[in-house]
Amino acid sequence: MNINYEQIEQAVRLILEAVGEDPNREGLRDTPKRVAKMYGEIFSGMGKDPKEYFDTIFSEDHEELVLVKDIPFYSMCEHHLVPFFGKAHIAYIPRGGKVVGLSKLARSIEAVASRPQLQERITKTIANAIVEKLEPYGVMVVIEAEHMCMTMRGVKKPGSKTVTSAVRGIFEKDAAARAEVLSLIKE
């Protein structure tokens, strides 16, 4: 990752001036530096491939549902550069004993969310990465998030949630399997 902090600082100074503020005012003097540092953290997923988290695979005689739910995440809407945040739920049914460490599912969400992003893209990117690396019987990724671009601007509807899902393999064809995952997510 190659973040140009100096360029971000210059851009923040220009924004402050453009909205009629004095970037040299005491309270704002260090703001460009703080924002640049924050962007370094927020966009730390740039250049990361979520599939790398699925390189270490364990063999376990388990071919039934694995669900990690309520994984908190934060991202930045690529349309407005304001945050959206929520919970991700990842389910898969291992094939041939190929399982991955549970923390790796959370890390993959973090990597994909830590860049200018769309919720829809996070959802499908994670599902596709799991399919490609683990070759499971099925994968289901559900993400629920609140978008500040809908809360603090535009329609101004705080509390509204956007839900996206990506369904692969058995979950596409088997309504009962899909319903089981959705039921467990709601518990």
Side-chain angles (χ1 to χ4, degrees):
M1 178 178 70
N2 191 15
I3 300 230
N4 187 328
Y5 291 96
E6 187 177 311
Q7 207 170 21
I8 295 170
E9 288 180 38
Q10 291 170 0
V12 171
R13 276 189 205 87
L14 287 173
I15 290 169
L16 290 170
E17 289 172 357
V19 299
E21 263 294 358
D22 175 8
N24 295 314
R25 183 168 61 80
E26 182 184 359
L28 294 176
R29 213 172 289 139
D30 292 330
T31 296
K33 188 179 291 298
R34 284 191 296 266
V35 171
K37 184 178 178 185
M38 175 190 70
Y39 276 13
E41 285 180 47
I42 290 172
F43 298 131
S44 64
M46 297 296 297
K48 287 186 181 175
D49 184 348
K51 290 180 277 195
E52 74 185 49
Y53 296 102
F54 307 127
D55 285 342
T56 302
I57 297 171
F58 302 99
S59 294
E60 182 62 41
D61 186 22
H62 183 83
E63 290 193 346
E64 296 182 54
L65 180 65
V66 175
L67 169 63
V68 179
K69 67 180 196 172
D70 298 330
I71 303 166
F73 78 93
Y74 305 88
S75 193
M76 290 288 269
C77 165
E78 70 180 36
H79 295 150
H80 301 100
L81 288 182
V82 294
F84 65 97
F85 56 93
K87 296 177 183 176
H89 317 283
I90 303 173
Y92 74 103
I93 299 176
R95 181 193 313 254
K98 291 168 74 171
V99 297
V100 68
L102 299 176
S103 69
K104 303 305 184 190
L105 298 170
R107 290 189 190 287
S108 70
I109 289 285
E110 188 175 294
V112 175
S114 297
R115 58 183 85 160
Q117 198 53 278
L118 297 175
Q119 180 174 332
E120 298 88 342
R121 187 180 306 126
I122 296 171
T123 310
K124 74 178 181 183
T125 300
I126 297 301
N128 292 343
I130 294 169
V131 166
E132 184 179 323
K133 295 296 277 195
L134 299 182
E135 301 172 332
Y137 288 112
V139 172
M140 189 165 171
V141 178
V142 177
I143 296 181
E144 316 168 46
E146 182 170 348
H147 292 249
M148 296 307 289
C149 56
M150 286 185 54
T151 297
M152 61 189 286
R153 58 155 304 279
V155 296
K156 296 182 181 166
K157 299 296 178 201
S160 62
K161 298 269 194 241
T162 300
V163 179
T164 53
S165 68
V167 182
R168 307 286 186 266
I170 195 169
F171 296 119
E172 288 179 287
K173 302 169 188 80
D174 187 334
R178 191 170 50 251
E180 177 188 10
V181 172
L182 293 172
S183 170
L184 289 170
I185 287 171
K186 289 180 186 176
E187 285 184 357

